Amino acid sequence: SDDEIRIGYLADMSGTYRDLSGPGGLEALKMAVEDFGGQVNGKKIVLFNADDLNKPDVGANTVRQWIDEKNVDVVTGLVATSVVMAVNKIVEQENKLALISGSASSALTNEFCSPNHIHWVYDTYALSNGTAHAVLQEGGKDWFILAADYAFGHALEADLTKVIEAEGGKVVGKVRHPFPSNDFSSYILQAQGSGAEVVALANAGADMVNALQTASQFGLSQSGQKLAGMVVFLNDVHSMGLEVTQGLMLTTGWYWDMNDETREWAQRYHKRVGRMPTMAQAGVYSSTIHYLNAVKATDSDDSQVVRSKMIETPINDMFAKNGKIREDGRMVHDMYLAQVKTPAESKSEWDLYNILRTIPGEQAYRSLADSQCKLIKN
Amino acid sequence: MTILFGVPLSVLLGQLLLGLINGAFYALLSLGLAIIFGLLRIINFAHGALYMLGAFVTLLSLQYLGVNYWFALFLAPLTVGLIGMLIEKYLLRRITGEDHLYGLLLTFGLALIIEGLFVKLFGVSGSSYPMPDALKGGFNLGFMFLPKYRAWVIVAALIVCFVTWYMIERTRLGSYLRAGTENPKLMQAFGINVPLLITLTYGYGAALAAFAGVLAAPIYPVSPGMGANLLIVVFAVVVIGGMGSIMGAIVTGLLMGLIEGLTKVFYPEAANTVVFLVMVLVLLVRPAGLFGKET
Amino acid sequence: MSDTIKNPEQQQRVRVERERRIAASRRNKIFFAVFIVIALVAPFGIYPVFLMKLLCFALFACAFNLLLGYAGLLSFGHAAFLATGGYITGFVLTEYSGLGTELGILAGTAASAALGLGFGLLAIRRQGIYFAMITLALAQLVFFMFMQSSFTGGENGLQGVPRGQLFGFIDLQDNLNMYYFVLAIFLFGFLLIQRTIHSPYGQVLKAIRENEPRAISLGYNVDAHKLLAFVLSAALTGLAGATKTVVFQLASLTDAHWHMSGEVILMTLLGGVGTVLGPFVGASIVVTLQTYLSNSPLGEWVHVILGVIFVLCVLMFRAGIVGWFSKLIQRNFK
Amino acid sequence: MSSDIILETRGLTKAFRGFTAVNDVDLKVKKGHIHALIGPNGAGKTTFFNLLTHFLPPTRGEILFQGKAITGTRANQIAKLGLVRSFQISAVFGQMTVLENVRVALQSKQGNSFHFWKSERSLNSLNERAMELLEKVGLGSFADTVTHELSYGRKRALELATTMALDPVMLLLDEPTQGMGQEDVDMVVDLVRRVAVGRTVLMVEHNLSVVSRLCDAITVLARGSILAEGDYATVSANSAVREAYLGTAVTDEVAL
Amino acid sequence: MNASNREQLVVEDLHAYYGQSHILHGVNMVVRRGELVTLLGRNGAGRSTTLRAIMNMVGKRSGSIMINGTETMTIPAHHIPRLGVGFCPEERGIFASLNVEENLLLPPTVRSGGMNLDELYEMFPNLYERRFSQGTRLSGGEQQMLALARILRTGANLLLLDEITEGLAPVIVQKLAEVLIKLKEKGLTIVLVEQNFRFAAPLADRHYLMEHGKIIDEISAAELPSKQEYLSKNLGV
Ligand SMILES: Nc1ncnc2c1ncn2[C@@H]1O[C@H](COP(=O)(O)OP(=O)(O)OP(=O)(O)O)[C@@H](O)[C@H]1O
Ligand SMILES: Nc1ncnc2c1ncn2[C@@H]1O[C@H](COP(=O)(O)OP(=O)(O)OP(=O)(O)O)[C@@H](O)[C@H]1O
Ligand SMILES: [Mg+2]
Ligand SMILES: [Mg+2]
């Protein structure tokens, strides 16, 4: 509609989710723009960025202003689910696009789906499904779920319970802890006392880290219980160290050390940022490149035109092979079951995961048949 | 096995013990807060940041100086205590005699600055501090597995708390402190160096927070935000105990740990809220808190 | 009254005083007129949604100042009223969209006033720091309720609240219409507070703040007077929250969090406690910084910068920015 | 007979933890009298005042004011009934003008104290009466002064003016001359005498010259109980009173 | 003992301020060892301020204050009492967070030769009875006794007493007069600020008359009878 492509990057730049996406995600976005030469078909690419402070009103206000005043075409980043929900409403009202790579809630492409956003990297369903499936196959039947007591934790708990029960497992106990919590010893003790074979951590960020650390102090694994993290990010493992996290099974949408392509990109990123990218940061890059390609191909920045093109085109880049965007806005790609290395195995600071196997995209994500998305029913 | 309200007694015992250990942290932190409030009449919003500093000094002195845990146990409170003294001497001193709200605003600003800088320098994820070798492993108490370190926490915290209590309530120094709160000018006229007393007190309060920080380092993720969440609960503890009451801060700290522990078993969703419920109830019945003197 | 005054010196004094008051009130009127003109044209230069946010927080801070600055009560639980106003309005507008935006906002305000009455009855007997803490505790309980109950959407908040129409024909989806509506609400709240301060009730409130036992011995039911101040403040805070929800079309737990209670204290102190314009200025500074800093390269430094501002404010102009400014004016133009 | 007793206490007692400050006091104050309450330090005089005005709840006993029991009545209600107190430390509203101080007191009778929607101007109707009261205590020319700038003696006068604004039936004054120079003392004595016309006054006072000049009746309190009662001559002649309160050196001449 | 040593307190050209307001305008006075001197004046003359200025408890000061030959204008406030000065403030300054006995024991001893607890309790039996009560729960008069008793313990030999008879029953006032005489006999130096002239007159060696922050006259005990007229004009007594 005008002679510039305008991209807004909205994320938590200073709070809990800073390391997951934050300034690093912005850097990934810049890399994508640079790789495009700073312009598409002669139209300059202009970036805006803002800190949402994890507050929905701040995020919504920023995006509204971007759209009203700066005529921003697409919003990327997007981490805290409450912020994303608020932003999605506005993006939908104004008929723009949102490319979500941080938020985990699978509801975004389920009951809250809209024709104006695409969910790129992972969601609660895929993460819990992947890990639970693998652990169940290894014979862990009795589960204890430690869930964060808010929408995200509840979603994770529900998705997880479904998988466990579908595959013949049993949830023998669960506890919902307040978000955030300072001390997890009580919950870990309850998990220990439950007699479950597997303790699932259906929480994220600081809470997950804290719970994991406590579990290791109370010798959960020594007493024969297995730990399964549902939402574990590279930055969590890195900051906790291998001593605490070793052996943890997790599902990831991407890992920097998978193949030459990923390594090459990750090294470039590392040079600029000084850290290895998380999957969310890689997702920002990937989704932006895909978006810009679609703009280039259609020579339009109309959200629906571009979206159709994005759906049409499979994603083949360092992030995903044969990734596909579905009608409900879910970008379906392969996920990976990983295990955290032992300190002895690890050869460098960021050498943290063993990739055990690939979970094909169709298996990893909720199938459209189960979807409540209004775009699908019609 | 005895069952109590649907929970085996042994589990309950374990939970109570864990609650007590958490309570020891509350006690240490609220003690420092109560002392600072007592003498400076300042609601020290920087207390959480000082606690965090204590943990970070421990972590960084290991990473960069190779200082071990036992040494950090002294080094961190000393360093943070000194920082506290500087804060008092160069900032808080300039607002003595003003409305106490300004102390709140100032310390809140300080907390924002300190925490913001640490986020910038170290990120938010937090790091873990290796467990000191001597305290690895644990005891099997029959009804639960008690990590050695947690046992050490409660012993260390209680000793420090009671030594502090004795100093303040049972020695001459303590009566200087209490009187200095009320009328510093007159105390000067009795020959007491009140400015020094105040600086040392704030420093000591800061050192207590840092001591709690050292104790926390091996069991909780060391992150810039670690103190901010705790702070508000610790305020509640001080108020329930009765502002200015040293014994109140200690006992209430332990008590709140226990109550929170029980809540985590019976209604975990409310674990963060129960302290405030208790606070409302206590203040309705005893307006000056459990141990506070009504004026 | 002048016929009872006999001596000329005294007559002179009274005249001077009266003139001073008239001059002051004339000056206030001019200020106010200038403000109105600026406010009316502002949305053509500045992004209206930002202005609306500013007005909502300014109303919040003004309502808080009524309590702290004029009744001497420090509440540390005002977030509860902001959130209640927001959630109730959001809920009413979403579920019963036929009711109209005015009624929705009214419902939120009334709910906050009712909650204020409840808080007040429990807390009003307590003093100083205990009052602050019991309001904090009650607000935490409210926070817990909002987090657990389903109508609030928990952590996700209430999204997509319709702005609806004013009086059934003015479309509030239009930012400019919405802006003037918000401006009207702000002015209503602001003027009500001014009136309250300078009313017979305001006088009694002032007396109570200065010497409570004496006020009792003059026959005043001190608790009831404080309670009224608390309820008024809660209601206006609820109004601010309700309006904010309509503007942003969402209500979230951020508003109920104790940080919000802290923030309004900071805004008020920053601007100047007990001054007419202080809360407005304080809120403007904090909101502007939060909004514009987060969009700038300094984004990561928001907290540090705010912290530095607070520290400097305490060390350099303790009476708040407005207090400091008016002292400056007094010194130079007297 | 009983109709000329305006205030009466029956067995009034206040015990603090393990210490009885006021013990079984039966006191009668006659209408129109200036009645002094004297006694050694710690005798319970201030506590007794606090009981009368319900700033403290009594442990036991009854208080009758104008024949009605007011034992459980709340502090502000007691003031409305016409029993108004002053404080041992001067109690004025420092940041308000002198006129406003009196106006606030006048407002109390008007019943508009909750009217937050009305303009301040609606209070101007009270100015005339307020000025009248100020003239009476000699503060007419200070009407627009901010109160904290007043001298100690004038604050005392202002306090009396605000008290008078309530048009009290009976005044309770706690050491009205404490800490004053002789000039101010004389002024206060004068004032009290003037405002007492048509009212009853009960006052605590250590300055015996004030007591002897002003008071119609005296009650001596010691260790919480009544030690002696009567007029100045009777009381000062009482040997128990001399021992507990006046001391040996005090002769009638010195006291006057 | 040389001459300058006998001058325990020498105040020269003392000016004092509270914030902007200039209260003392050049006070000069000399108090010799063992003397009892009073400061007389109307309300607001600056008598309390003089004592507070000596203790360095006012805003700004200038001039000179020598105590036992030491210049105190330049030393920190808390060093002044250590020269043997005991101060009993007008507002009493009883500490609410301490009980009566703790209040008594609070000021550190500065010299030997102070009274001990038993002696103090004997002097003020009221205090003994209430020794475990919170300090501020005492009646007005009892607080006054406590404030005085407190500094008698420290062994200070220069006492600055501000309105110590205020609010006390005549018996107690009489008792205090005896106490002061006893202290004088022990060789203590006392500066007394008094409203109650009848109390002060028979005790004092000399009187300083203050007005508007200045000493306007000095009257010795011997001159007193002849100056009655003058005094009552200036003080209203
Ligand atoms: N709240 C309280 N708790 C405990 N004891 C108290 C309390 N208030 C007063 N007392 C005690 O009760 C006694 C009477 O006190 P009160 O103040 O009534 O004396 P008073 O007659 O007014 O003396 P004064 O002339 O010295 O002012 C005192 O011994 C005092 O210590
Ligand atoms: N803290 C203060 N701030 C400002 N002015 C003060 C302060 N304290 C006293 N003053 C003023 O200083 C002057 C002298 O006061 P001071 O207390 O020395 O008088 P005084 O002679 O002791 O009289 P009094 O009999 O009232 O105690 C008075 O005009 C008083 O208003
Ligand atoms: Mg008394
Ligand atoms: Mg004085």
Side-chain angles (χ1 to χ4, degrees), chain A residues 303-347:
Chain A
S303 66
Q304 292 314 312
V305 175
V306 177
R307 182 174 187 265
S308 306
K309 185 71 194 172
M310 286 173 83
I311 291 178
E312 245 166 59
T313 327
I315 295 123
N316 274 301
D317 58 10
M318 63 88 195
F319 181 81
K321 289 284 164 279
N322 253 324
K324 271 200 353 245
I325 301 170
R326 294 194 310 214
E327 258 318 303
D328 62 355
R330 176 69 251 168
M331 201 281 263
V332 174
H333 59 102
D334 293 349
M335 301 290 284
Y336 308 91
L337 185 70
Q339 187 165 33
V340 177
K341 288 187 171 175
T342 62
E345 283 174 302
S346 169
K347 287 188 283 295

Side-chain angles (χ1 to χ4, degrees), chain D residues 179, chain E residues 42-49 52 90 162-163 166 193 195:
Chain E
R42 294 163 198 254
N43 282 121
R47 297 162 304 154
S48 302
T49 307
R52 293 170 63 83
E90 191 171 26
D162 199 349
E163 310 268 13
E166 184 175 312
V193 168
Q195 201 69 257

